[in-house]
Amino acid sequence: LGGSASARARESSSDAVPWRERSIQLSLRILCAAAAREEAFVQSLKAAATVAQQQLSIVPTLLFKAPIHGSFAHRFVREEKVNPLRLFNLLTTNASSARRYNSPQMPIGGLILEYVGCSACGSSMSSHDPQGIARNAFGIISYMTRTVPQAECVHSLCGPEDVTGIRLANAFARGLALPLGDMESSVRTNVDLRAAILDIVLLNINIITGDDLNLSIMMLGLSGPSMHNCLNVILEMITHGGGGFVLDPETSSFATKCFEILYRVCAVGTGAVQSISAPNYNVVQERKRCVMEKLRRSNFWRDHLASVPSVFREVSNSFRFGHDDGEDVSRRDNDVLHSISWFLKGLALELHALVNDKNSSMISSNNQQLQSLLQCLLSPPNSFLLTMLMDMPFGESSNDLIKERLHSIPAPPAKVLKDSSRPMEGPAEICAGYEMIDIERLLSLCRSSQTREMREWATTWNGFVLRVCACAHVSQAWSDVVRTALICSSVTLDDNANITAMAEFQHQSPSFAMNLRMVMDILCAILQRLLSPSCLESIGQYDIPAAGRNAVEAECVMPMSIAALSITDVLIESGYQENAAVQPSRRVHEGAAAGFGIAEEDVVRVCALIVGAISSCAEKGRTGMMSPNDGCAAVLSCALTRMLIFSEEASYCIISQNTPSSILDIYADTIVYLFGLSTVPVFDAQERYADAHEAKGGAIALVARSGLSSLFGHLKSIEHLDSVSRLFCSKIFAAEALSTAVAGLVHLVTCNDNDVTFLLQQIAMFEGGVQLLAKSDIMAKLLGVATTYAKEERHFLSSNIGTNADRQLKPPSLLNGHLSLVNALLSSPIASSNRAALAGHTIQLLKVYCSTFERLLQSYPSNHDLMIKYIEALHLTYTAIKKEPMGSNELGNTLLNVDDALLTLERCVLRIACQLSAFPFPRQILPPLPMQLINVEKIHASQMRNISITMGNESTWWDNFIPEPTEKSMPLPTPPTGSFDVQRSTSDWSERKYQHAISSAKCLKISILFLIGRVHFVNQRGMPTFCIDAVAIAKGICRCSDASKAIQDRLNDLSRPETDITKLFGSSHVIDESRRDHSLSHALKIEREYLAQLGSSLSQCAEKLVCLALQDARRMAATSASSSSSISKSNLSREWAPFIGAMTPALDHTEMETKGVGCAFSGKSVQGSMSMAQALRQEMDKMKASLK
């Protein structure tokens, strides 16, 4: 047409480009339409076949033949059965064939994949929809990823040659990197395409496949050496986009997905994301490590840390105000908060990686990176974490605009809201538990006249939920990074291998050094943000900033509470000044107690803030049901328990004369609130809970009880120091709310709640607490439980007559707690008359359990702790009733009225006392008894009336001892018992044997105390004998005294500084070659600690046995004096001879009258035992004189 041939050829070629692009786009659109309508098409065919009751068939129109005159051919029309295939079958067929026959042909899915990054070149398409081809191609790929198993989908997209997915990564990266388009025509459809590509990555990154074909891993370039992949494009957009990339409402949602993917990449293989199995794990980890090193080299984390505060402050300020210009700004604010959250969570993983990287070539570089990040995060005065905490938009999720709309527009009916609710879409760990309103569903359920109001209300509500979710996410991320930063700081500063590298870096940046003041400031700042407005006013003495006056959302309180708990642990661990000379900067206050780095005033402040935060949880609404803030209060209770334990160790007082009344009121409110949480049953087996909600309530109750127990324990420990604590406790127990809560706790005793008794024990330490327990009829509840168990026990034994059922029957699990509670009540500060009445109920309770007590005796030392508590209850009961005057009801109706059950209890104590006193150690290591005592035992063995001790190798309680496996125990020298025949070189002694020996000494001590108290009632009963033979007492005196003195000698040897450790162990040979990993000094330390406890207990037992003998001697003398006319001297001589014959050689052997008995480490003088032994000798002399 007037042009040259070459010009016409170029024009023709140019005309072919848009034709090809148009043809490809139409083809892809046809496939997309088929995919979109596939399900409806298949369902319609199935429905038609069901109606026709046969498979459908079609007649190909192009093959139809017209009728021919005189011919019958037209009557035989070609007909084919309908057998529709789904689109994915067609898209994956040639991929399967290629794999089967090793064909190099690219599968059709791979061909379509190439167009994902295509941008139209033709003039008509480029101006109208340049990304149309890419969008339609991606639609088909998206269809495949959602309908085809991932492994098959990856094979269909990659083909047999691209096993590492390099071509796949390149194709998706091109689509992700498409330009923003024509800004003048507002064509931004490519943003949706890029967001959809990221959605595919997020959708598949957690999918585990058997052959490690993870689509997301390939798209991100982590499965092979791909230089152009989605991850690189994401990093480029984040790095070069700046703050505008995050703050622009058009790209803010896209930026959020980018930061989430970056976090997911950092989390691959850490437990947060486990999508790679063993064969490909090392490859992915290596690629991930390269990515993280690339980020470090470019200072990605440090640079973005510097820009986050300004962005966060801008969004936080915007978050606090309403916007009438639409939802874009509000959505942008939520997106930015989520982006910052994902960035912080990725930063926490980076800190973990820097600390845990063991690559020796990278230690110095990693330390510098770590120190740089910690300096930015923690260094005052512009600490990133503190600054961000102060800017947190807590309590602003429902701003004035949202409040106005939600309150001015009537809410839909509850049933309509329930029917139209749907879970929030998004990552499960972020969006789980949030409910949105399906607006279209809501409008369909409402009247047409309410459409506008309902739409506005639902839109506002959904916006509110999205804001709460965003705020909770950023608080969770901040909690993660602050905990990680402080823990990494503590670990790094204590790592001797890194001291040199860190010293060099700190010389360059001397402003950073983690100290207790830094930790204290962060902890206090967190707790201050958790305070309600009323608590802020009450705790005004601590200079709390004005920021954050609104109540914090419950969804934000939990992560902040967890952060407070973790930082409390860091603070306490750092507060122990084991290295105070090396690290003086870690000390908070020079006035701290010796050995501790935290001053008392700081501990008082932290406790007050924790209590205020717990009280603030109570203010946010309790309707009789579980509140979301209850779990937060439980977590904070754990932090309070930690601080109170530290206070006990440092001898600090958290309540004193200087404590303001407003803070005391907060303590009181907190105690009442925690008591309310504690009234939920706590079971010892998860299956006993009805559902997960009840199990959660039990977990919260358990922690709340722990906090209350620690608080009451601390108040009791400082009661003698300050009258304020006494007055405070009196006021607390007088509160009506507490009375109701205690009644609820007492009721739980009957509900198989074994844990509740521990809290009731703490309550019983106070007079007001005992009154509340008595008011709740605690003893009747305990007796009811005991009676029920006794009936079940009798039924079980009667049903199993002739078997060993009595030996198989275990004591009830609740008995331990019940006995502890009874002992606490009997030891409580109450009037003598009330204690005697309590003792009367206790003896009835103990009688019900008498058969259980007998089984405990037979199986000793199993359940030895329970045995001690049972005997202690008997001792406290006898002691309380002993103070009652003659003729009182409590005395006459209990211990003077001896029935079979009471006699069984007393005999059990007598038997265990005889066993333990005669055999404090195994028979083979016991020293020989005095020959005169042995002769007396032989002469009078047949005359014993109640307690029969046979001569020879009778069985002992040590025969029931079950040794632990050798490999689990540290061998220790045999304890000295006073025997020179013991060969310590053949020792098989262990820590567990020491523990049992110490426990048996404690059991013997409490048994002797019971027998001493029982003498009073034996006299009043008019019993002729004491029911325990003097030989047993004398043997116990010799055994305990000999062992106590031998232990004292051993302790003296161990305390000599010039003693060679190897010589001490050389004679014992307890450390063999297989145990060389046990330190000799550690073994000596353990031996010294055990010997000190054992020697002290045995010396007290020896002294108490002499006291028991003295009481018996005085009883016999008093009895003979009151009936001197009716008893002849021959009868007295026959009665007294065994006693005098046994005690005389015992006193001669032990030389207790002149040397005493006692272990110096017990802290007691031996004068008491000397005077008591002398008094016993004098009493026996009087008895001898009266027989002449």
Side-chain angles (χ1 to χ4, degrees):
L1 298 176
S4 63
S6 60
R8 289 195 301 270
R10 288 194 300 270
E11 184 178 354
S12 175
S13 175
S14 177
D15 292 339
V17 171
W19 182 86
R20 288 197 303 269
E21 291 178 348
R22 187 66 177 171
S23 300
I24 293 172
Q25 184 177 18
L26 289 175
S27 302
L28 294 175
R29 289 178 63 182
I30 292 173
L31 292 176
C32 288
R37 296 167 177 80
E38 180 182 52
E39 192 62 33
F41 176 69
V42 172
Q43 293 299 329
S44 64
L45 288 179
K46 289 182 178 179
T50 302
V51 173
Q53 297 183 351
Q54 63 180 354
Q55 187 177 0
L56 296 181
S57 60
I58 62 173
V59 176
T61 304
L62 297 178
L63 300 179
F64 179 76
K65 295 181 180 180
I68 301 175
H69 182 71
S71 173
F72 295 95
H74 66 281
R75 297 183 181 181
F76 302 99
V77 178
R78 181 175 178 179
E79 182 181 0
E80 294 184 1
K81 298 295 184 181
V82 176
N83 186 25
L85 290 176
R86 290 187 178 269
L87 181 60
F88 68 81
N89 295 117
L90 301 176
L91 294 175
T92 58
T93 300
N94 66 331
S96 302
S97 302
R99 290 199 309 271
R100 187 179 302 113
Y101 299 109
N102 296 323
S103 172
Q105 179 184 2
M106 181 183 295
I108 188 171
L111 294 174
I112 296 175
L113 178 64
E114 292 295 324
Y115 291 110
V116 171
C118 177
S119 181
C121 300
S123 59
S124 60
M125 291 190 63
S126 61
S127 61
H128 177 67
D129 188 6
Q131 281 82 35
I133 294 177
R135 192 172 61 255
N136 289 319
F138 178 79
I140 299 173
I141 301 301
S142 177
Y143 159 80
M144 294 179 62
T145 60
R146 286 172 169 81
T147 55
V148 181
Q150 183 159 169
E152 188 174 352
C153 178
V154 171
H155 282 302
S156 300
L157 296 177
C158 296
E161 294 182 345
D162 190 18
V163 293
T164 59
I166 295 178
R167 186 167 56 240
L168 181 146
N170 290 338
F172 278 111
R174 290 197 306 272
L176 194 60
L178 286 174
L180 291 178
D182 186 2
M183 297 298 297
E184 295 181 359
S185 61
S186 301
V187 177
R188 304 294 293 271
T189 55
N190 57 307
V191 175
D192 296 333
L193 171 62
R194 299 197 302 176
I197 293 176
L198 297 187
D199 288 336
I200 291 291
V201 175
L202 294 172
L203 178 66
N204 295 279
I205 197 169
N206 290 321
I207 297 178
I208 300 176
T209 60
D211 49 1
D212 298 307
L213 296 176
N214 184 285
L215 180 62
S216 296
I217 296 298
M218 290 184 171
M219 293 172 66
L220 295 171
L222 297 179
S223 60
S226 172
M227 300 303 296
H228 192 56
N229 52 63
C230 292
L231 182 58
N232 287 339
V233 177
I234 290 172
L235 293 177
E236 184 177 353
M237 288 188 292
I238 292 176
T239 303
H240 297 292
F245 178 60
V246 178
L247 291 172
D248 186 354
E250 294 290 343
T251 58
S252 60
S253 298
F254 182 71
T256 300
K257 298 178 189 295
C258 290
F259 279 104
E260 181 181 357
I261 290 176
L262 183 60
Y263 161 73
R264 302 290 182 189
V265 170
C266 295
V268 167
T270 62
V273 176
Q274 293 284 1
S275 59
I276 308 302
S277 54
N280 202 35
Y281 179 81
N282 293 333
V283 176
V284 174
Q285 286 297 308
E286 179 62 24
R287 297 295 302 165
K288 168 191 164 183
R289 187 182 63 82
C290 293
V291 171
M292 299 189 77
E293 289 181 0
K294 175 181 177 181
L295 295 176
R296 293 166 193 167
R297 288 193 303 269
S298 62
N299 286 327
F300 175 86
W301 302 106
R302 177 65 185 257
D303 292 344
H304 281 77
L305 268 179
S307 62
V308 165
S310 60
V311 174
F312 187 71
R313 186 176 296 108
E314 177 181 345
V315 172
S316 297
N317 293 333
S318 174
F319 198 83
R320 292 184 171 92
F321 303 102
H323 302 280
D324 293 318
D325 54 351
E327 302 177 6
D328 288 345
V329 177
S330 179
R331 178 180 54 79
R332 187 282 311 265
D333 294 344
N334 297 335
D335 290 337
V336 174
L337 292 181
H338 284 300
S339 295
I340 294 176
S341 302
W342 293 119
F343 170 77
L344 293 179
K345 295 171 79 171
L347 177 60
L349 294 176
E350 168 69 359
L351 294 175
H352 272 296
L354 289 172
V355 171
N356 297 323
D357 192 352
K358 304 303 182 182
N359 189 345
S360 58
S361 63
M362 301 297 295
I363 288 181
S364 178
S365 175
N366 288 350
N367 283 332
Q368 293 185 13
Q369 290 278 350
L370 179 61
Q371 291 295 309
S372 177
L373 292 175
L374 293 178
Q375 181 181 17
C376 185
L377 289 170
L378 300 172
S379 290
N382 298 319
S383 168
F384 170 88
L385 293 174
L386 279 178
T387 302
M388 187 174 178
L389 178 60
M390 291 299 102
D391 291 334
M392 284 278 189
F394 291 149
E396 305 292 346
S397 297
S398 56
N399 53 33
D400 294 338
L401 180 62
I402 292 177
K403 291 178 182 178
E404 179 184 355
R405 289 181 177 177
L406 291 179
H407 288 86
S408 61
I409 303 174
K415 186 177 186 307
V416 173
L417 286 177
K418 181 179 180 180
D419 293 340
S420 59
S421 296
R422 60 175 176 81
M424 179 187 291
E425 297 179 355
E429 67 268 34
I430 307 303
C431 301
Y434 292 97
E435 293 287 332
M436 303 283 287
I437 301 298
D438 188 333
I439 297 179
E440 299 304 323
R441 173 67 175 165
L442 176 66
L443 296 180
S444 67
L445 297 175
C446 297
R447 296 192 300 271
S448 58
S449 60
Q450 299 176 324
T451 299
R452 187 181 64 82
E453 292 82 359
M454 292 298 97
R455 181 183 294 276
E456 185 176 359
W457 188 94
T459 302
T460 305
W461 173 261
N462 287 344
F464 166 68
V465 175
L466 290 171
R467 288 163 64 90
V468 172
C469 179
C471 194
H473 190 196
V474 76
S475 64
Q476 177 190 350
W478 186 92
S479 171
D480 291 345
V481 77
V482 71
R483 288 182 290 136
T484 304
L486 290 176
I487 292 174
C488 290
S489 300
S490 178
V491 170
T492 305
L493 291 174
D494 291 337
D495 189 354
N496 293 329
N498 298 332
I499 287 180
T500 303
M502 284 186 295
E504 294 176 356
F505 183 77
Q506 289 182 5
H507 179 71
Q508 302 170 9
S509 304
S511 60
F512 172 71
M514 193 198 80
N515 51 51
L516 283 177
R517 177 53 60 191
M518 180 189 305
V519 181
M520 180 71 70
D521 290 343
I522 295 176
L523 176 59
C524 292
I526 294 174
L527 296 173
Q528 289 165 5
R529 291 306 309 267
L530 295 178
L531 297 179
S532 64
S534 59
C535 287
L536 278 170
E537 296 176 0
S538 301
I539 315 181
Q541 69 182 81
Y542 294 125
D543 294 329
I544 296 177
R549 290 285 178 176
N550 292 334
V552 182
E553 296 89 346
E555 293 80 5
C556 301
V557 174
M558 178 57 78
M560 303 305 291
S561 300
I562 294 174
L565 175 59
S566 298
I567 298 174
T568 300
D569 289 335
V570 173
L571 177 68
I572 292 175
E573 289 299 322
S574 303
Y576 293 107
Q577 294 188 10
E578 297 178 353
N579 301 321
V582 179
Q583 300 174 359
S585 63
R586 299 179 72 177
R587 193 185 192 113
V588 168
H589 196 274
E590 291 300 328
F596 300 92
I598 311 176
E600 183 175 18
E601 61 186 44
D602 291 302
V603 174
V604 172
R605 179 189 186 192
V606 171
C607 288
L609 291 173
I610 293 175
V611 171
I614 297 174
S615 180
S616 299
C617 293
E619 291 182 14
K620 294 166 187 172
R622 286 193 57 80
T623 59
M625 301 178 65
M626 189 184 303
S627 165
N629 290 297
D630 293 346
C632 307
V635 174
L636 292 170
S637 297
C638 293
L640 179 62
T641 301
R642 305 281 204 280
M643 291 304 300
L644 291 174
I645 293 174
F646 181 83
S647 300
E648 291 292 325
E649 296 178 355
S651 300
Y652 290 160
C653 181
I654 65 170
I655 293 180
S656 64
Q657 296 285 353
N658 300 325
T659 305
S661 58
S662 59
I663 294 182
L664 290 178
D665 292 338
I666 293 178
Y667 270 96
D669 294 339
T670 299
I671 290 175
V672 172
Y673 176 45
L674 292 179
F675 261 109
L677 298 181
S678 301
T679 55
V680 178
V682 176
F683 300 123
D684 51 7
Q686 191 71 19
E687 57 271 12
R688 299 185 61 183
Y689 291 103
D691 49 35
H693 182 77
E694 185 176 313
K696 180 179 179 181
I700 293 174
L702 182 64
V703 178
R705 293 174 188 179
S706 176
L708 283 173
S709 299
S710 301
L711 185 55
F712 280 130
H714 180 78
L715 292 174
K716 188 64 178 180
S717 66
I718 64 175
E719 193 176 38
H720 65 286
L721 301 175
D722 204 321
S723 60
V724 173
S725 62
R726 292 194 298 271
L727 296 175
F728 173 74
C729 293
S730 301
K731 177 183 176 181
I732 283 294
F733 288 114
E736 184 62 29
L738 206 65
S739 176
T740 304
V742 171
L745 291 173
V746 170
H747 174 71
L748 293 178
V749 171
T750 63
C751 301
N752 295 320
D753 186 339
N754 298 339
D755 178 78
V756 72
T757 54
F758 183 74
L759 177 57
L760 296 180
Q761 293 174 49
Q762 308 305 309
I763 299 174
M765 295 189 300
F766 303 89
E767 184 176 2
V770 176
Q771 294 175 359
L772 288 181
L773 292 175
K775 181 180 177 181
S776 303
D777 210 3
I778 179 63
M779 292 306 300
K781 297 290 194 303
L782 294 175
L783 188 59
V785 174
T787 304
T788 302
Y789 171 77
K791 291 180 180 178
E792 296 174 354
E793 180 186 60
R794 287 194 297 269
H795 176 73
F796 175 79
L797 294 176
S798 62
S799 303
N800 295 273
I801 298 177
T803 64
N804 293 328
D806 57 334
R807 294 183 178 273
Q808 300 172 2
L809 192 61
K810 303 295 183 182
S813 59
L814 49 82
L815 182 57
N816 199 321
H818 288 191
L819 289 178
S820 299
L821 176 57
V822 168
N823 293 337
L825 289 169
L826 291 172
S827 304
S828 60
I830 55 178
S832 299
S833 57
N834 294 334
R835 183 177 287 104
L838 182 63
H841 293 296
T842 302
I843 198 64
Q844 299 301 323
L845 178 71
L846 297 177
K847 287 181 180 180
V848 175
Y849 284 118
C850 66
S851 58
T852 302
F853 190 37
E854 283 188 290
R855 289 196 300 274
L856 289 175
L857 176 63
Q858 295 170 2
S859 63
Y860 190 86
S862 297
N863 300 301
H864 52 89
D865 291 335
L866 188 58
M867 171 72 81
I868 293 175
K869 291 180 180 179
Y870 204 109
I871 299 174
E872 182 181 3
L874 281 170
H875 166 59
L876 293 173
T877 301
Y878 277 56
T879 302
I881 299 178
K882 179 180 178 180
K883 299 178 181 179
E884 286 293 285
M886 289 295 296
S888 66
N889 292 332
E890 294 298 338
L891 183 61
N893 296 333
T894 55
L895 300 185
L896 295 185
N897 184 19
V898 181
D899 54 10
D900 292 341
L902 183 61
L903 188 60
T904 299
L905 293 177
E906 293 184 349
R907 286 178 174 174
C908 285
V909 180
L910 292 170
R911 288 168 58 191
I912 192 66
C914 289
Q915 270 283 319
L916 297 180
S917 62
F919 300 100
F921 299 101
R923 181 192 310 278
Q924 60 271 20
I925 64 172
L926 287 174
L929 292 170
M931 186 56 64
Q932 187 178 355
L933 179 58
I934 294 176
N935 294 333
V936 172
E937 181 181 19
K938 292 179 179 179
I939 294 173
H940 298 283
S942 59
Q943 301 177 5
M944 295 181 184
R945 301 182 179 181
N946 291 285
I947 303 299
S948 177
I949 300 182
T950 60
M951 303 298 296
N953 295 327
E954 68 271 20
S955 61
T956 71
W957 68 271
W958 283 99
D959 297 331
N960 296 330
F961 176 80
I962 302 176
E964 59 185 346
T966 307
E967 64 274 5
K968 294 184 179 180
S969 62
M970 174 184 291
L972 294 172
T974 303
T977 62
S979 173
F980 296 101
D981 298 330
V982 176
Q983 297 296 324
R984 292 166 62 86
S985 59
T986 59
S987 170
D988 60 348
W989 206 260
S990 63
E991 288 188 73
R992 191 158 171 264
K993 282 190 175 182
Y994 261 116
Q995 293 164 2
H996 277 284
I998 294 171
S999 176
S1000 69
K1002 293 179 179 178
C1003 186
L1004 175 59
K1005 175 185 172 182
I1006 193 66
S1007 300
I1008 299 170
L1009 290 175
F1010 165 77
L1011 295 176
I1012 293 174
R1014 178 175 171 270
V1015 174
H1016 173 78
F1017 301 100
V1018 171
N1019 283 332
Q1020 295 193 24
R1021 294 172 187 170
M1023 297 176 64
T1025 65
F1026 190 53
C1027 297
I1028 181 172
D1029 65 288
V1031 174
I1033 299 176
K1035 289 172 65 175
I1037 293 174
C1038 294
R1039 301 291 197 200
C1040 295
S1041 179
D1042 289 346
S1044 176
K1045 293 177 180 178
I1047 289 174
Q1048 181 62 68
D1049 294 338
R1050 174 67 175 171
L1051 289 174
N1052 292 336
D1053 291 339
L1054 293 175
S1055 62
R1056 293 171 186 164
E1058 68 276 6
T1059 304
D1060 187 359
I1061 294 179
T1062 57
K1063 291 182 179 179
L1064 287 175
F1065 271 95
S1067 60
S1068 59
H1069 301 290
V1070 296
I1071 304 293
D1072 56 24
E1073 291 299 326
S1074 62
R1075 307 286 177 83
R1076 285 296 176 184
D1077 55 322
H1078 294 303
S1079 169
L1080 292 178
S1081 59
H1082 178 62
L1084 285 173
K1085 180 181 178 181
I1086 292 177
E1087 182 191 11
R1088 185 184 295 109
E1089 292 174 354
Y1090 283 139
L1091 287 178
Q1093 298 179 52
L1094 184 58
S1096 174
S1097 298
L1098 290 175
S1099 65
Q1100 294 179 54
C1101 289
E1103 182 177 340
K1104 301 302 180 185
L1105 284 169
V1106 173
C1107 179
L1108 177 62
L1110 179 60
Q1111 294 288 336
D1112 193 19
R1114 291 173 176 172
R1115 179 197 63 81
M1116 290 187 290
T1119 302
S1120 65
S1122 61
S1123 55
S1124 57
S1125 58
S1126 59
I1127 302 178
S1128 63
K1129 289 187 178 182
S1130 60
N1131 290 335
L1132 286 177
S1133 176
R1134 190 165 50 253
E1135 186 74 25
W1136 293 355
F1139 181 85
I1140 298 174
M1143 291 302 159
T1144 300
L1147 291 179
D1148 294 341
H1149 173 76
T1150 60
E1151 301 179 331
M1152 195 180 300
E1153 298 161 277
T1154 57
K1155 296 182 179 180
V1157 64
C1159 189
F1161 279 75
S1162 66
K1164 288 188 175 182
S1165 172
V1166 298
Q1167 295 297 325
S1169 58
M1170 290 172 58
S1171 59
M1172 201 169 296
Q1174 294 168 3
L1176 177 59
R1177 177 79 73 174
Q1178 294 173 5
E1179 195 68 36
M1180 289 191 298
D1181 291 340
K1182 293 179 182 178
M1183 294 170 68
K1184 293 177 183 178
S1186 64
L1187 293 176
K1188 294 181 181 179

